[in-house]
Amino acid sequence: LLPSIAQPGKVEVLGELEPLVSLEQLFKFHLDSKSALQRMAAALVVSEWALAQPDCHCPASIKSSLLHGVEESLYFDELAQLFTSMQSECQALVSSLTAIGCDTSTLHNGVYTIEQANALASSQYTDLLTDVHPAVTQNADMMRSQLLVTITQVSSEFQLHTLRVQSVLASALVSLKSLPAKLNPIIRPLMETTKREENTQLQEYAVCSLTRLLVQCVERSPCPNPKILKNLCTFISSNSQTTPQVSNHTPGTNVTSSNDSTNDAPAASGDIILTLTNQTKMTSSNSRRGIVFRKQTSADSTVSDASSTLEPVSGARTDLSTDHETQKLINIQCKGGELAIRTIAEQLKSYLFKQLPALYDIMCSHLSNIHSVTEQSLNEKQMQDLVNSLRIIEVIFPSIDSSLHDQVTSLLPRLLICLSHTNHAVRHMASRCLAVMGKVIPDQIISYVLENVLPMVGDSASLVKRLGAIETLYSILQILKLILIKIY
């Protein structure tokens, strides 16, 4: 609708405002309001308008409101109820402190910000009660505890609404191609939304805007693209459940001689198949959760049984809850990074490595430097960088344009070397990369594996080669399945 009505000089009825002027007033009213939803709705419409009509005549005042809003932090109307509760609890705490004889004349008098309320409930509260007997502070302690809970809620909602509003406003500016001289106010909310946003639609919207931003900044100097891409790849590598850590490897466990007595069974962390280890851990973890559950049900039998079983179960619940929340944040961050990298590859197609050479360097530079299987040639950091880069290849390869496949598959000999590496994490990621490549270009990869990887299974002189080959074959079978039957 907007492209058809927002034409300069178009007036339907004599004496009425031009549609573009009316739209300008409407958008400015919502963009300058104190409602987060109004700002987001207006910015989304402007963003979609710019995408539908690249040469849209968006008024400068709207762009100015967008730019001002993306750098502004305020207490939105949506926080009114929580904010009012925080004010009431601050005043109640001050009154309680006054009632027990504390000198509250130096405390803030007026509307409390989150920072001021937090100071009241922490450092100022402690200082005022230094000489007060604990017996008379019970009521004040209860009020303080409640205030701290409210402050946490207000702070969380404030950060959530601020980030969402700033991200959508930044997206609108990117769609309008109206970037400021300093890009940090645009990049920061888009990156934070990619990293933290639980709402999938908002996360995807930020990722698409980030992709457009990268394209617009290709010729910019200084160019922010290498740093943005590096951070996105760091998001992907942050999840230890999908990116193994080389620090779990015990140095000096390379086994190359068939005459070595330790060659019969892998006894050290370097001489394992990580896929098998992960499956064993998962089975063990499920078993432990089952034991905790059985303890809960058996606790109903007697009071004595309950006292002996409920406490450890409660502790287990607390630990599981904390671990779950931490892992949830890591998963969101990793998912955002993967979504961003794939979207970038799909949008830029055959121009991906030409417009974003930094991405190719992140993917392939560490792998290109692999020339031997000797662990001594790489320190722990270099090995982890290699594992991280292999993880990026695994994520992005299914999304890159077919014309770019040769640039990545040219490194297959390096992947073969990684399969013989003494670190289990390097072997594991190399096997996963080959499996993903095999799903995209099965004819080429399966032929390569049959010629170069399968013979390694029978290499009696090197345990690590056999381990790498077995894990690769397993990974390929798991990911290809019926495709192999169709090919052969």
Side-chain angles (χ1 to χ4, degrees), residues 47-48 51 171 174-175 177 179 204-218 344 347-348:
S47 181
E48 292 302 314
L51 294 176
S171 295
V174 172
S175 298
K177 299 181 180 179
L179 302 179
E204 290 176 353
Y205 203 84
V207 164
C208 290
S209 297
L210 196 59
T211 302
R212 297 186 196 102
L213 177 65
L214 289 170
V215 174
Q216 293 177 30
C217 292
V218 168
I344 291 168
Q347 294 295 322
L348 297 187

Side-chain angles (χ1 to χ4, degrees), residues 159-386:
Q159 292 175 10
L160 176 65
H161 282 79
T162 299
L163 179 58
R164 285 181 173 178
V165 170
Q166 291 180 345
S167 176
V168 175
L169 295 177
S171 295
L173 286 167
V174 172
S175 298
L176 289 166
K177 299 181 180 179
S178 298
L179 302 179
K182 294 183 178 180
L183 290 178
N184 189 58
I186 306 296
I187 296 174
R188 187 194 61 79
L190 293 178
M191 290 293 289
E192 286 297 308
T193 301
T194 301
K195 180 180 180 181
R196 305 178 187 278
E197 182 56 65
E198 294 185 43
N199 186 299
T200 302
Q201 289 179 312
L202 292 176
Q203 188 182 50
E204 290 176 353
Y205 203 84
V207 164
C208 290
S209 297
L210 196 59
T211 302
R212 297 186 196 102
L213 177 65
L214 289 170
V215 174
Q216 293 177 30
C217 292
V218 168
E219 302 296 333
R220 193 181 180 104
S221 182
C223 182
N225 291 356
K227 185 175 181 181
I228 292 174
L229 292 169
K230 181 179 179 181
N231 288 336
L232 291 175
C233 293
T234 301
F235 294 170
I236 296 174
S237 305
S238 64
N239 192 349
S240 60
Q241 291 185 351
T242 55
T243 306
Q245 303 298 302
V246 301
S247 57
N248 295 328
H249 171 64
T250 303
T253 60
N254 183 25
V255 181
T256 57
S257 173
S258 60
N259 297 324
D260 195 326
S261 60
T262 62
N263 198 30
D264 295 332
S269 66
D271 306 324
I272 62 175
I273 297 177
L274 190 55
T275 301
L276 178 61
T277 303
N278 290 340
Q279 290 180 347
T280 304
K281 287 181 179 178
M282 184 178 297
T283 303
S284 176
S285 176
N286 292 337
S287 299
R288 285 198 298 272
R289 283 197 292 269
I291 292 172
V292 172
F293 178 76
R294 287 193 294 274
K295 284 185 178 180
Q296 285 178 283
T297 56
S298 64
D300 297 332
S301 58
T302 62
V303 175
S304 60
D305 287 340
S307 63
S308 64
T309 59
L310 285 177
E311 287 185 1
V313 169
S314 176
R317 279 179 174 176
T318 302
D319 292 341
L320 287 173
S321 177
T322 303
D323 292 343
H324 175 73
E325 286 301 316
T326 301
Q327 189 60 46
K328 179 182 177 182
L329 296 175
I330 294 174
N331 289 342
I332 292 172
Q333 175 176 309
C334 182
K335 174 192 167 187
E338 291 177 3
L339 179 63
I341 290 297
R342 288 175 180 144
T343 302
I344 291 168
E346 290 166 358
Q347 294 295 322
L348 297 187
K349 301 186 181 198
S350 61
Y351 298 98
L352 177 64
F353 297 146
K354 182 178 180 181
Q355 293 190 328
L356 301 177
L359 181 57
Y360 183 82
D361 290 340
I362 293 172
M363 289 172 52
C364 302
S365 62
H366 297 289
L367 188 58
S368 300
N369 293 330
I370 298 297
H371 300 291
S372 69
V373 298
T374 56
E375 185 176 16
Q376 290 74 15
S377 62
L378 296 176
N379 58 37
E380 186 173 297
K381 181 182 182 304
Q382 290 172 326
M383 281 193 291
Q384 189 62 58
D385 289 340
L386 173 60

Side-chain angles (χ1 to χ4, degrees), residues 241-245 272-276 278 387 390 394 418-419 421 423-435 467-468 471-472 474-475:
Q241 291 185 351
T242 55
T243 306
Q245 303 298 302
I272 62 175
I273 297 177
L274 190 55
T275 301
L276 178 61
N278 290 340
V387 168
L390 292 173
E394 180 191 34
C418 290
L419 291 179
H421 201 281
N423 186 283
H424 64 276
V426 176
R427 295 197 305 270
H428 176 73
M429 281 310 310
S431 69
R432 280 165 51 180
C433 284
L434 280 170
L467 294 174
E471 188 162 20
T472 301
Y474 174 82
S475 298

Side-chain angles (χ1 to χ4, degrees), residues 393-463:
I393 294 175
E394 180 191 34
V395 169
I396 200 174
F397 193 80
S399 301
I400 64 175
D401 190 79
S402 58
S403 63
L404 303 177
H405 286 166
D406 289 345
Q407 287 184 251
V408 181
T409 56
S410 64
L411 297 172
L412 282 175
R414 303 285 185 250
L415 278 177
L416 190 64
I417 294 175
C418 290
L419 291 179
S420 304
H421 201 281
T422 54
N423 186 283
H424 64 276
V426 176
R427 295 197 305 270
H428 176 73
M429 281 310 310
S431 69
R432 280 165 51 180
C433 284
L434 280 170
V436 168
M437 289 180 181
K439 188 173 183 179
V440 179
I441 43 175
D443 291 341
Q444 180 180 350
I445 297 302
I446 297 304
S447 297
Y448 186 84
V449 168
L450 292 176
E451 293 175 8
N452 298 277
V453 178
L454 189 59
M456 292 167 56
V457 176
D459 190 343
S460 60
S462 174
L463 173 61

